[in-house]
Amino acid sequence: MSKPEKLIADGIRLDGRKPDELRPIKIKVGVLNRADGSCYFEFGGNKVIAAVYGPREVHPRHMQKSTSAVVRYRYNMASFSVEERKRPGPDRRSIEVSKVSREALEPVIFQEYFPRSAIDIFVEILQADAGTRTAGINAASIALADAGIPMKSLVSACAVGKVDDTLVLDLNKDEDNYGQADMPIAMTPDGNITLLQMDGHLSRDEFREGLEMAKKGCTAIYEMQKSALMEKYSSQIEGDNSE
Amino acid sequence: MSKPEKLIADGIRLDGRKPDELRPIKIKVGVLNRADGSCYFEFGGNKVIAAVYGPREVHPRHMQKSTSAVVRYRYNMASFSVEERKRPGPDRRSIEVSKVSREALEPVIFQEYFPRSAIDIFVEILQADAGTRTAGINAASIALADAGIPMKSLVSACAVGKVDDTLVLDLNKDEDNYGQADMPIAMTPDGNITLLQMDGHLSRDEFREGLEMAKKGCTAIYEMQKSALMEKYSSQIEGDNSE
Amino acid sequence: MSKPEKLIADGIRLDGRKPDELRPIKIKVGVLNRADGSCYFEFGGNKVIAAVYGPREVHPRHMQKSTSAVVRYRYNMASFSVEERKRPGPDRRSIEVSKVSREALEPVIFQEYFPRSAIDIFVEILQADAGTRTAGINAASIALADAGIPMKSLVSACAVGKVDDTLVLDLNKDEDNYGQADMPIAMTPDGNITLLQMDGHLSRDEFREGLEMAKKGCTAIYEMQKSALMEKYSSQIEGDNSE
Amino acid sequence: MSNEIIAELRKDYIYNLMIKGEREDGRTFNQYREITIDTNVIDKAEGSARVKIGDTHVVVGVKIQPGTPFPDTPDQGVIITNLELIPLASPVFEAGPPREDAIELARVTDRGVRESGALDLSKLCITPGEKVWMVFIDVHVLDDGGNIMDASALGAIAALMTAKLPASRFGLGDDSVVPLRDVPVSVTAVEIGGSIMLDPSMDEESIAGTKLTVTSNQAGELSAMQKSGVHPLTTEQINYIVDIAIEKAKEIREKFLVI
Amino acid sequence: MSNEIIAELRKDYIYNLMIKGEREDGRTFNQYREITIDTNVIDKAEGSARVKIGDTHVVVGVKIQPGTPFPDTPDQGVIITNLELIPLASPVFEAGPPREDAIELARVTDRGVRESGALDLSKLCITPGEKVWMVFIDVHVLDDGGNIMDASALGAIAALMTAKLPASRFGLGDDSVVPLRDVPVSVTAVEIGGSIMLDPSMDEESIAGTKLTVTSNQAGELSAMQKSGVHPLTTEQINYIVDIAIEKAKEIREKFLVI
Amino acid sequence: MSNEIIAELRKDYIYNLMIKGEREDGRTFNQYREITIDTNVIDKAEGSARVKIGDTHVVVGVKIQPGTPFPDTPDQGVIITNLELIPLASPVFEAGPPREDAIELARVTDRGVRESGALDLSKLCITPGEKVWMVFIDVHVLDDGGNIMDASALGAIAALMTAKLPASRFGLGDDSVVPLRDVPVSVTAVEIGGSIMLDPSMDEESIAGTKLTVTSNQAGELSAMQKSGVHPLTTEQINYIVDIAIEKAKEIREKFLVI
């Protein structure tokens, strides 16, 4: 698609959303058998799977920490997840995304409970549509809970951007390509920011306003994450009772 | 060479062989000084050298097995072994060939005699002309014996293929390029199959018939392998006597 | 620049030097804070920095030597140091240069004083103009002294070449590109040769003569190296006294 | 340590069941676990399929782009098959370049498609010697429950069956279907203590002496075979596996791969 | 071992100073160390700058060559930013391919230049779809005294400000200046025990919970931001840092980056 | 451990012999082991040679293909020399990318050919700036018995002497011989305890303090030199080696490399 004339018309975005509206979200908890915890997360056109293994032994051993667990995060895009086939394997972008995503989650993990062990988080992007890093963090946060890793809270993430001089929540692919700014955020339910990146063009006031908009988006996502976990938990209880 | 009109005429193949005839084979045992065992093997236009080192220490140590030797096999084509120069180093094909070749030989090696040690097999293809993996296995089998590695038996290998709707033994390069099927086989003298790959197009009956043809080819090669080893052994005895 | 008609006219080289004249040299000792010893060395258009770390622990451990230090040398060209941008990272040339440069310095280091430890020498070529390896060795030699590594002596290095059938000292870039021979040399003050490479075309007599010319060049450089170290040392003393 | 003991006990358990002619999950020796195939699961891919065989779960995406033909086949399209055993899918997989088992799985998947002639490569030529369609088959293993081989091969052919040539996106005319002319199916058997079982579970795979994968086409003829593992097989065992593999492939094809 | 103890004591020392509102080197929390910028230090590069911030020392070289544009931006030049943490610069850096911290520094440096629109990429087009100027920004870190991030960003823009397009060398007309239209400046703050400090020294950086880099342009607006590190930040902390970063960037720009 | 002791005893043995002016295998200090050279041993290569010097055994294959010239030498062919120390050839060689000793051997072999002007690169130009002959010299070491260097250089020139330009295969006219105009020969000496010996055996090489390789041409002039190893050499030692290397190269050339 080439640049559309307008990305917002009469206050409505090309995909029909209002400026502060998230794309549809679909969450499935515990979708993998091998992993200790897992989550399938659809966020608009993004389809991501997160798996958590651990706490488990650290290889190679010199990577162990004596007083806490090491958290490792591998963000990986499937070759077929994007329009132009991506070469398999990590590139510079995925290495940076992995780093900031790990740092977005580390603050809520009780790492000190598991010295000398590893908590491994793997996020696979099966389909990409702007916002893969936030989708991945949302999924990973649930997968950590599903794996029974002790956490202070969940972490929720979404982006705010600017298109046609308007602040909008949760950019889609066209808004990302042709917009003026993109700012992914992750936060805890009590409002602590654990991920913050920005590029593009924002005034000081737009930034402040955008931060508040992102926080509202994260709060909404947090409720969905909680529900998805509750649902799995209650269906298990039911399942247990019905036996 | 572009595709010839016929690969078989009056029951005779382009290189003058009958359908069930092997290409000429030349074997020299113990051709290298540094290696514990070695063998030079010519199989039609293929020229390969196999060397065996071991049993010896395993590096890195975490690759050790506590109750048996690890067998390693490295199949490597010289850059100048083929028409179009090959980039040095392993590619996906050579990694697969190394794996199935190792598995073709492991069943006959008394690995349990040498816990925590390695038996290393190196096969260099100096000239390639269809059938390098079988030539390599034949050479490696002799090099293992030459190195004094305790073995249940030798392993012998050759391919069967289909060209012009006819089953033929031991494809040459043109038959491989323009034929309808290729099936490399390795076996022990008592008829156990230790390598089996196939690609192309074979009916169930052709497959059965081809398997029998391959077995006859392997039996013939086995006799040549034995002779080559005998010859070296007897010349050594003679050498010892003449001193 | 394309090949000039003459590289020497009336006994004077294109940059105004006489055949046996070195390019201007500028030395600054102790230019880095983090390194244990360092030196900035300008040699004509070459700008190089050498840093020395050690003696320090060896990682990985299996590289340790039980009776002496290991000396490591990493020659690295900045991407922007040459006309055509160089891809970052080691290439075959820089690996060879690192090896012969290390061997040029090892003879003067009392390695046996520091068993199981490493002495790391890093040489970065910020700007290249023919003679980077000799500039690097000159800088590294001073950085070793600055780091307090016990040494039998300094090592000094320069090249001799042949242009327009004349032996000349210390080739510049054009003389290197269009000359007939290049011979880098490193030596100790007492005349022992620790590096010797040659390529091009030299008769036996030219070689002998060239070797003597190089030795004179090295002697001159040695005096400058000593002065630079003296200067830093005496300014420290002064500094100490003035406190 | 205790992990190893559990593994050992598990092996004994499976082995003892096998001797009685039984399997862990109640299947007969020639029975597959439940198979489900969903196609068109990835919009960004030109073709895609999610395949589950029991616990095993793979997603295959097919990407198709114009590219340069190989010099020796100037008028034929190119197939490139990749498979990664990513650490998400199993505690024993590691990040990094593909290792020999992943490479073998990719290459056997590739040969199944290629050697069966399923794809008419000559119809993937755009301009001879200059531009042809490159067909990338990427197998993404999400959960390893055993027999990734058959899941990968099934996913590859199912994804190809639903794939289209994205000609319009590259200004090369109208989109069209991928020129398929056969539907190869791979069937994998393992040998455990002399017995032959189809579709090994992860535990069965781990104690099997050897695997034999047999790919056959619509005509019931062989397109590709691969023995993998260190136990030898007898001629009788091989012929037996070939026979049931061809039958089983027919069943699977008719049930799941109707064009 | 004793090294670790010294490090621990050092951290305590800095932490205790911080509680009293002081810093190791006597600076106030919002004060930078001495900055020096020298340009045109590498003749072989099309633009270059040596930047020192206190002990930290980087050399940035800009190389410009004709190359092929990306297919999706056929009429725009290309920026490629590299940064290596070479072992010459610190006892903790290692040889080898860049690791995540080096990659992050390179990418944030790159975004500062790119997102501010400092380089007019459309003016770097030579022949649309065929040939554009490739601008390589290579950051060579020589001494790590902390806050490599800001030194790298300063070096990149200073080198670009003095760079020329080497058209004559490639037979493409006369050399010209690089089409710059803004001067972004990055300002990095760290959070230590709830306090915010600008321009962290190496020791401060090592004990900081988190860093926030804010790049702003001549208009005092934001071009790029990057939080790095595991401590969360509150909205108040972020807004505070943004405010002082924009002010500080203005000061630095006016003092050091006058075109 | 016991291996190390044996190695130590072996070194003492060689050292003690050397003091008496003797060598392990009875040679004089300036004597080579038996040399055999067979050419045209690999049909698939455009030129090839098998060289044995005593126990040392290398095969050199020359492949020649059309390719693109380097931008700065648009009218000259390209030489690319590779040498691998594959683990087949010695218990101490390891698989993997070439290490510094293999790279040095390859580069010195390359310089011997290149700097002697043995190959007339201008005659390897097909279309200036577009297409030239690429000459790949691949040295395959099969058995390391010491002095791989000289075997490699001998193999390279012998293979080139029998190589042809495969023009017909690429539709570029008739095949022709490779334009050779000199026959460089490398001679390697080692210094052991002050003494100089030619053509070191593996054991001699392992205890040598330093090696000096001298490549000279038909005119008896120097084309390339390389000192390798950590012992310094005196001017006298170097001049002595140069003199005997030139003589010995002449002998070897006349005996083995007659065109």
Side-chain angles (χ1 to χ4, degrees), chain C residues 58-117:
Chain C
V58 179
H59 295 290
R61 238 167 152 186
H62 66 84
M63 290 188 65
Q64 282 184 0
K65 284 194 215 161
S66 59
T67 59
S68 78
V70 292
V71 176
R72 296 183 290 203
Y73 192 107
R74 182 180 184 264
Y75 165 100
N76 185 46
M77 294 185 86
S79 300
F80 47 74
S81 64
V82 281
E83 195 88 345
E84 292 290 313
R85 177 177 184 268
K86 191 197 156 293
R87 273 189 57 195
D91 55 17
R92 290 159 56 98
R93 177 182 168 278
S94 70
I95 290 171
E96 189 200 352
V97 170
S98 295
K99 177 183 186 287
V100 295
S101 300
R102 184 189 72 233
E103 292 174 348
L105 290 165
E106 281 195 80
V108 301
I109 300 172
F110 285 104
Q111 293 168 250
E112 61 278 18
Y113 289 8
F114 308 105
R116 302 193 182 286
S117 59

Side-chain angles (χ1 to χ4, degrees), chain B residues 96 99 197 201-202 215, chain D residues 104 107 111 221 226 235:
Chain B
E96 188 200 353
K99 178 183 186 289
Q197 297 183 288
H201 192 87
L202 285 183
K215 288 173 93 165
Chain D
E104 185 182 34
R107 286 176 60 84
R111 285 201 287 267
E221 299 188 317
Q226 179 91 347
T235 311

Side-chain angles (χ1 to χ4, degrees), chain D residues 93-185:
Chain D
F93 297 164
E94 287 172 26
R99 308 221 276 193
E100 62 173 32
D101 43 0
I103 288 171
E104 185 182 34
L105 288 166
R107 286 176 60 84
V108 177
T109 301
D110 186 273
R111 285 201 287 267
V113 170
R114 185 185 303 275
E115 301 294 338
S116 66
L119 266 178
D120 188 346
L121 295 182
S122 64
K123 291 201 175 145
L124 294 176
C125 180
I126 302 167
T127 311
E130 280 181 28
K131 205 187 259 188
V132 298
W133 289 110
M134 319 274 292
V135 178
F136 293 92
I137 303 172
D138 282 294
V139 182
H140 224 72
V141 179
L142 296 181
D143 218 346
D144 176 18
N147 200 14
I148 288 171
M149 183 62 241
D150 290 351
S152 165
L154 265 181
I157 192 68
L160 284 170
M161 286 171 74
T162 59
K164 59 176 207 311
L165 300 180
S168 60
R169 182 151 72 91
F170 295 98
L172 294 166
D174 291 333
D175 291 1
S176 57
V177 296
V178 163
L180 268 192
R181 53 183 184 192
D182 207 322
V183 181
V185 172

